[in-house]
Amino acid sequence: LQCESVIKVQSDRTDLRRRMRDMEQKLQHERQDHRDVNSDLSRQYKTMQQEVTNKVKRLEKEVSQLSEELVLCQEELRKEKREHEQVEQEKDATIADLQHKLDNMETDYEKILHV
């Protein structure tokens, strides 16, 4: 009976050691998986961070270019407005001059008719 008990205890002990080794291996695998996932997530984060940084730089450059273009367009618009105003003034002056000449011609024509 005591021999059976010793055999049983030894068997249980062997079984427990085997289960403990299995659990330790499983724990090591889980730890390695955790490190792998952590490493992959860190790599993905760094990649995304670099992509966002590049995009921000590209957009800042685009904003700068568009701002410069806007300034040039605004200056061109002011120039076009000044030129348009000048043309309008010249047209008005020409019309006034022609109207004055027409009025003079009318007056001269009336004088000729009434003489």
Side-chain angles (χ1 to χ4, degrees), residues 97-111:
D97 184 47
L98 290 173
Q99 186 65 47
H100 180 69
K101 287 180 181 179
L102 185 61
D103 291 344
N104 286 341
M105 287 173 65
E106 262 182 45
T107 305
D108 291 345
Y109 185 67
E110 286 178 5
K111 285 180 187 176

Side-chain angles (χ1 to χ4, degrees), residues 14 16-26:
T14 302
L16 284 173
R17 283 184 178 162
R18 182 187 51 76
R19 287 178 55 201
M20 192 167 141
R21 274 193 314 274
D22 290 346
M23 295 302 283
E24 284 175 347
Q25 286 178 351
K26 187 175 180 179

Side-chain angles (χ1 to χ4, degrees), residues 24-94:
E24 284 175 347
Q25 286 178 351
K26 187 175 180 179
L27 178 62
Q28 288 302 321
H29 288 300
E30 290 295 321
R31 284 180 177 160
Q32 185 60 46
D33 287 348
H34 183 264
R35 283 192 294 271
D36 291 345
V37 167
N38 235 0
S39 175
D40 189 51
L41 288 175
S42 290
R43 182 190 55 74
Q44 287 179 19
Y45 175 77
K46 287 176 183 176
T47 300
M48 287 173 55
Q49 190 175 30
Q50 186 62 45
E51 288 172 353
V52 167
T53 299
N54 291 341
K55 187 173 184 176
V56 165
K57 286 179 182 178
R58 182 179 54 78
L59 290 173
E60 286 174 343
K61 183 177 180 181
E62 186 177 341
V63 164
S64 176
Q65 290 171 342
L66 289 173
S67 293
E68 290 174 13
E69 189 176 328
L70 176 61
V71 167
L72 292 174
C73 287
Q74 287 172 333
E75 182 57 37
E76 183 68 24
L77 178 62
R78 282 190 289 273
K79 179 183 171 190
E80 291 291 331
K81 283 183 176 179
R82 283 191 305 269
E83 289 175 2
H84 178 73
E85 288 172 7
Q86 184 178 355
V87 167
E88 285 294 315
Q89 289 172 356
E90 289 172 3
K91 271 180 21 182
D92 290 345
T94 301

Side-chain angles (χ1 to χ4, degrees), residues 3-15:
C3 189
E4 275 182 28
S5 185
V6 168
I7 290 173
K8 172 79 170 132
V9 167
Q10 285 178 347
S11 174
D12 287 348
R13 192 173 87 187
T14 302
D15 188 49

